[in-house]
């Protein structure tokens, strides 16, 4: 395929100005500016629903036309007006401080560079629908360091063997949606469903098993292509996926986790210990979590980047973009990420049940599920989910986790009623929307009714717009899963979330309605110890706590105690009683045939 040519009248050049100072240098040329041309930097990045004020990192903005400096006037926090002559090439130059080692913004140091267009590339107002060009300049070689390479999903115009050079974007949206990774990273290419893929990993240790990562990722990609397009996807005469290329960019760090989806790529972050290792036959739990993240972000290639909320048909980069549908676009993706790991053969039934067991218990231990519906939580993501504090679990619920359980309830209900499955609903929405275009809740309801043969308005009202408990137990039992009770962990029993380190118990969250709240605990308390009243068999006692598990040692059969707590340097004595009957769920397979039919792993004769 021939490289695209560029007719772009809007061109960016990004260079590493000072890696030790974490500064990118950006030059933006507008060939035919308007009189009083305005430019602005986005306030948020699609997929991460928080106003992050990227303009705070921009400095030294200047403008020239030929040799003449041009005056600029800042209109608001992220918008500038340039006093330029119309029709004469205009060049803006500025620097961006890049020291956020996440998937959402930009990073630059001596070892690695990364950026999203929303962090570095000013929008040329009135021209965002036109072709754009991005040049990424290779940094100068540094003695003793490996040569850097560059990776992005943008289509190359003229690049060198390391990937540095000029790239084309159809418009500003594509530029903003195409992150760039730079450094001496590990890289491998593979094909899935006839589509070329690339995986780059920064920060991998010597133990990293790249072959295993590629084999597992390919299996995940192929399973998802089959899910959306059938078994003949990518074959001669068969359907084609919506993307013609894809790049995974993984940054391995000491401690971190997350991902951000894009139309032709994803940016990921994980702990180095969670990478697959040479010579390790046992699959670590952390690597299963990483595969789930890869599966989640790749599923977004269809669900949210193409099939998307009607409110996201076009983005307003200047502020919040509200939708009540994140329970569908993030929650349903969270349901399918692990389910498709099972269908891809990357985990077994027991591992899959452990994963959904964990999700069920997470939601059950979130009192906010009884306060706010998952639709409301979607709308409030900008001020609640992405701005979490000590009260977040008591006031809202995650549209990821509860949304995944809502998806499971719809899937299992459809299967029980025998007319279809949620798989059919997802594919129907894909085809009817474009394929892959804006949808609203009415479209989702219509697809459910078309597949299930009846209205699901009552379920949508209760499960999505209400705060009723979900009918998980009966639906799971109907699909071959035993629902058992396990004793709760001590923190769950008390209604606490704590941090234990250095011989100290720090209270992070006090959950609504729990024993700790009734006793008067508050977030940020330090739980120092306990006092026990005298009994017939033992005198009064007092004990220092290093961790919550110490309670079993010191309490014995007693249920009542006085908690010794430090709060704002004051010492408090709080009467605390252990509750009875607090349990969590444990799921186990009891009918392999029915379970296999749900998971899509049953033999044809089962």
């Amino acid at each position: 395929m021939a490289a695209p040519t560029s007719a772009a009248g809007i061109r960016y050049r990004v260079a590493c100005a000072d890696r030790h100072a974490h500064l990118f240098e950006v030059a933006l040329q507008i060939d035919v500016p308007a009189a009083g041309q305005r430019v602005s930097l986005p306030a948020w990045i699609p997929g991460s629903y928080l106003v992050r004020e990227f303009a705070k990192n921009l400095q030294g903005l200047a403008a020239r036309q030929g040799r003449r400096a041009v005056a600029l006037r800042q209109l608001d926090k992220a918008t500038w007006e340039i006093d330029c002559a119309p029709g004469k090439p205009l060049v803006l130059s500025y620097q961006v401080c890049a020291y956020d080692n996440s998937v959402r913004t930009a990073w630059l140091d001596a070892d690695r560079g990364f950026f999203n267009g929303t962090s570095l590339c000013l929008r040329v107002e009135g021209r965002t629908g036109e072709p754009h060009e991005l040049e990424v300049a290779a940094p100068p070689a540094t003695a003793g360091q490996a040569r850097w390479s560059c990776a992005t999903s943008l289509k190359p115009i003229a690049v060198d063997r390391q990937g540095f050079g000029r790239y084309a974007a159809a418009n500003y949206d594509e530029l903003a949606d195409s992150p760039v990774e730079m450094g001496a990273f590990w890289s491998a290419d593979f094909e899935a469903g006839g589509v070329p893929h690339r995986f780059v990993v920064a920060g991998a240790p010597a133990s990293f098993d790249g072959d295993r990562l590629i084999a597992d990722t390919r299996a995940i990609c192929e399973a998802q292509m089959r899910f959306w397009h059938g078994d003949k996807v990518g074959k001669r005469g068969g359907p084609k996926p919506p993307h013609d290329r894809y790049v995974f960019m993984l940054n391995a760090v000491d401690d971190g986790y997350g991902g951000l989806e894009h139309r032709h790529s994803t940016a990921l972050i994980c702990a180095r210990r969670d990478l697959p290792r040479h010579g390790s036959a046992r699959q670590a739990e952390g690597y299963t979590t990483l595969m789930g993240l890869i599966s989640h972000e790749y599923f977004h290639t269809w669900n949210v980047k193409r099939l998307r909320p009607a409110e996201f048909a076009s983005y307003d980069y200047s502020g919040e973009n509200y939708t009540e549908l994140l329970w569908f676009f993030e929650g349903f993706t969270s349901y399918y990420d692990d389910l498709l790991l099972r269908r891809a053969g990357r985990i077994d039934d027991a591992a899959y049940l452990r994963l959904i067991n964990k999700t069920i218990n997470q939601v059950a231990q979130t009192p906010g599920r009884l306060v706010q519906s998952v639709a409301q939580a979607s709308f409030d993501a900008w001020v609640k989910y992405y701005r979490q504090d000590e009260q977040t679990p008591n006031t809202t619920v995650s549209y990821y986790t509860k949304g995944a359980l809502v998806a499971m309830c719809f899937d299992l209900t459809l299967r029980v009623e025998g007319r279809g499955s949620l798989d059919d609903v997802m594919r129907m929405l894909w085809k009817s929307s474009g394929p892959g275009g804006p949808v609203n809740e009415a479209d989702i309801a219509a697809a459910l009714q078309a597949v299930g043969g009846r209205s699901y308005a009552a379920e949508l009202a209760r499960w999505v717009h209400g705060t009723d408990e979900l009918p998980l137990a009966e639906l799971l039992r109907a699909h071959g899963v035993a629902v058992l009770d396990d004793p709760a962990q001590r923190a769950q029993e008390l209604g606490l979330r704590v941090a234990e380190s250095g011989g100290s118990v720090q209270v992070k969250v006090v959950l609504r309605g729990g024993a700790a709240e009734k006793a008067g605990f508050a977030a940020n308390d330090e739980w120092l110890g306990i006092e026990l009243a005298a009994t017939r068999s033992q005198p009064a006692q007092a004990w220092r706590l290093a961790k919550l598990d110490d309670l079993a040692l010191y309490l014995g059969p007693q249920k009542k105690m006085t908690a010794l707590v430090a709060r704002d340097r004051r010492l408090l004595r709080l009467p605390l009683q252990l509750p009875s009957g607090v349990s969590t769920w444990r799921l186990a397979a009891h009918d392999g045939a029915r379970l296999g039919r749900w998971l899509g792993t049953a033999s044809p004769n089962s």
Side-chain angles (χ1 to χ4, degrees):
M1 181 176 66
T5 58
S6 176
I10 299 169
R11 298 191 292 276
Y12 303 82
R13 185 179 189 274
V14 174
C16 301
D18 188 332
R19 283 182 276 184
H20 295 299
H22 320 292
L23 290 174
F24 282 111
E25 180 77 36
V26 184
L28 164 59
Q29 179 166 323
I30 309 167
D31 286 351
V32 187
Q37 178 69 61
R38 291 186 179 186
V39 296
S40 62
L41 197 65
W44 69 291
I45 182 168
S48 183
Y49 306 104
L50 178 67
V51 172
R52 298 184 184 276
E53 312 293 18
F54 298 130
K56 67 184 179 183
N57 298 314
L58 188 149
Q59 64 186 50
L61 180 61
R64 302 191 68 85
Q65 285 188 300
R67 296 182 179 180
R68 182 176 70 90
V70 178
L72 302 105
R73 183 166 66 97
Q74 188 164 0
L75 303 179
D76 60 30
K77 62 185 178 182
T79 306
W80 292 263
E81 185 176 79
I82 303 124
D83 185 20
C84 59
K88 183 178 180 181
L90 170 68
V91 177
L92 305 179
S93 60
Y94 54 96
Q95 294 180 326
V96 174
C97 185
Y99 203 65
D100 181 343
N101 198 17
S102 74
V103 297
R104 300 176 295 264
T105 54
W107 172 267
L108 182 64
D109 68 3
D111 297 316
R112 175 178 176 262
F114 172 84
F115 65 88
N116 289 284
T118 44
S119 291
L120 262 66
C121 298
L122 287 165
R123 299 172 71 245
V124 181
E125 297 195 2
R127 307 281 297 279
T128 56
E130 300 178 15
H132 287 50
E133 182 182 305
L134 173 67
E135 180 184 355
V136 184
T142 303
Q145 285 195 321
R147 189 175 182 182
W148 279 25
S149 297
C150 176
T152 180
S153 64
L154 288 170
K155 291 188 175 181
I157 299 169
V159 300
D160 64 19
R161 294 180 63 182
Q162 271 60 52
F164 290 101
R166 296 163 52 219
Y167 291 88
N171 47 44
Y172 184 85
D173 283 344
E174 184 176 16
L175 179 71
D177 196 40
S178 305
V180 175
E181 175 78 32
M182 295 181 287
F185 48 69
W186 176 92
S187 177
D189 298 310
F190 66 95
E191 187 175 284
V195 176
H197 290 64
R198 184 183 188 188
F199 211 126
V200 302
V201 182
S207 61
F208 167 55
D209 185 348
D211 290 342
R212 182 174 179 184
L213 179 67
I214 295 303
D216 290 337
T217 302
R218 180 189 290 112
I220 292 166
C221 294
E222 290 174 343
Q224 297 201 8
M225 290 179 178
R226 290 192 298 270
F227 172 87
W228 288 103
H229 306 293
D231 292 340
K232 294 184 179 179
V233 62
K235 298 178 181 177
R236 180 174 294 182
K240 293 183 179 180
H243 51 301
D244 60 1
R245 62 199 185 280
Y246 200 87
V247 181
F248 292 93
M249 305 174 191
L250 174 59
N251 181 26
V253 297
D254 179 60
D255 187 24
Y257 173 83
L260 190 60
E261 69 275 2
H262 303 280
R263 283 177 68 88
H264 291 97
S265 62
T266 183
L268 310 166
I269 188 168
C270 78
R272 290 187 187 95
R273 69 182 72 87
D274 294 339
L275 291 171
R277 304 179 191 181
H278 287 293
S280 176
R282 181 176 175 272
Q283 183 166 298
E285 182 178 344
Y287 182 50
T288 299
T289 302
L290 173 58
M291 287 196 296
L293 177 64
I294 290 168
S295 180
H296 183 97
E297 303 304 339
Y298 197 70
F299 197 82
H300 275 320
T301 304
W302 292 266
N303 196 41
V304 92
K305 295 311 298 185
R306 290 170 175 84
L307 186 68
R308 61 194 183 277
E311 297 91 340
F312 291 175
S314 62
Y315 294 119
D316 175 3
Y317 290 97
S318 67
E320 294 88 346
N321 289 222
Y322 294 102
T323 179
E324 286 192 344
L325 290 178
L326 295 182
W327 59 269
F328 179 86
F329 288 97
E330 289 291 357
F332 281 39
T333 298
S334 295
Y335 172 60
Y336 277 110
D337 55 18
D338 290 333
L339 181 57
L340 289 168
L341 281 189
R342 178 65 191 100
R343 292 182 185 173
R346 301 304 100 178
I347 57 176
D348 58 18
D349 289 353
Y352 178 70
L353 291 180
R354 285 195 297 271
L355 290 170
I356 61 171
N357 199 150
K358 181 179 179 181
T359 300
I360 290 169
N361 285 330
Q362 283 177 338
V363 174
Q365 293 152 21
T366 303
R369 77 190 188 282
L370 305 175
V371 176
Q372 189 177 50
S373 73
V374 75
Q376 292 171 320
S378 299
F379 194 87
D380 279 344
W382 300 88
V383 294
K384 291 196 173 182
Y385 186 80
Y386 279 90
R387 288 180 175 166
Q388 298 198 15
D389 59 24
E390 296 83 359
Q391 289 304 313
T392 296
N394 295 323
T395 60
T396 189
V397 66
S398 167
Y399 49 79
Y400 285 91
T401 51
K402 187 177 179 183
L405 298 183
V406 169
M408 186 167 69
C409 285
F410 275 119
D411 193 14
L412 300 187
T413 298
L414 287 163
R415 291 173 184 274
V416 163
E417 294 174 358
R419 297 287 296 272
S421 70
L422 191 62
D423 301 5
D424 303 313
V425 172
M426 300 300 289
R427 288 189 284 263
M428 180 175 290
L429 281 167
W430 174 260
K431 292 176 182 177
S432 64
S433 65
V439 298
N440 55 34
E441 188 173 316
D443 298 318
I444 297 169
L448 285 166
Q449 182 166 346
V451 171
R454 68 169 178 88
S455 171
Y456 289 84
E459 286 83 356
L460 286 166
R462 290 198 308 271
W463 303 346
V464 174
H465 295 280
T467 56
D468 293 351
E469 298 285 23
L470 299 173
L472 294 165
E474 53 265 43
L475 287 171
L476 286 166
R477 291 188 183 108
H479 288 81
V481 180
V483 180
L484 310 171
D485 284 336
D486 269 352
Q489 298 294 317
R490 186 67 73 186
Q492 298 163 359
E493 180 185 35
L494 293 170
L496 286 175
R497 296 182 184 176
V498 302
E500 299 173 337
S501 62
S504 174
V505 179
Q506 297 288 335
V507 176
K508 296 300 182 182
V509 173
V510 180
L511 297 175
R512 188 71 44 81
E517 184 188 60
K518 293 174 182 176
F521 277 82
N524 302 313
D525 284 352
E526 182 183 6
W527 191 351
L528 301 173
I530 59 170
E531 292 178 342
L532 303 176
T535 67
R536 290 182 179 180
S537 59
Q538 63 182 31
Q541 299 180 20
W543 297 98
R544 180 80 164 88
L545 287 184
K547 54 185 182 296
L548 284 187
D549 285 348
D550 289 345
L551 288 175
L553 172 65
Y554 299 136
L555 283 176
Q558 294 195 53
K559 294 289 186 180
K560 293 183 179 181
M561 72 198 86
T562 298
L564 305 176
V565 168
R567 181 184 303 164
D568 192 27
R569 298 289 181 178
R570 296 170 59 220
L571 297 179
L572 306 177
R573 300 172 77 248
L574 306 178
L576 177 64
Q577 179 166 345
L578 293 182
S580 300
V582 180
S583 62
T584 59
W585 281 22
R586 177 167 56 86
L587 305 182
H590 77 81
D591 186 328
R594 281 191 288 169
L595 178 60
R597 286 193 291 272
W598 164 30
L599 302 185
T601 58
S603 65
N605 297 322
S606 64

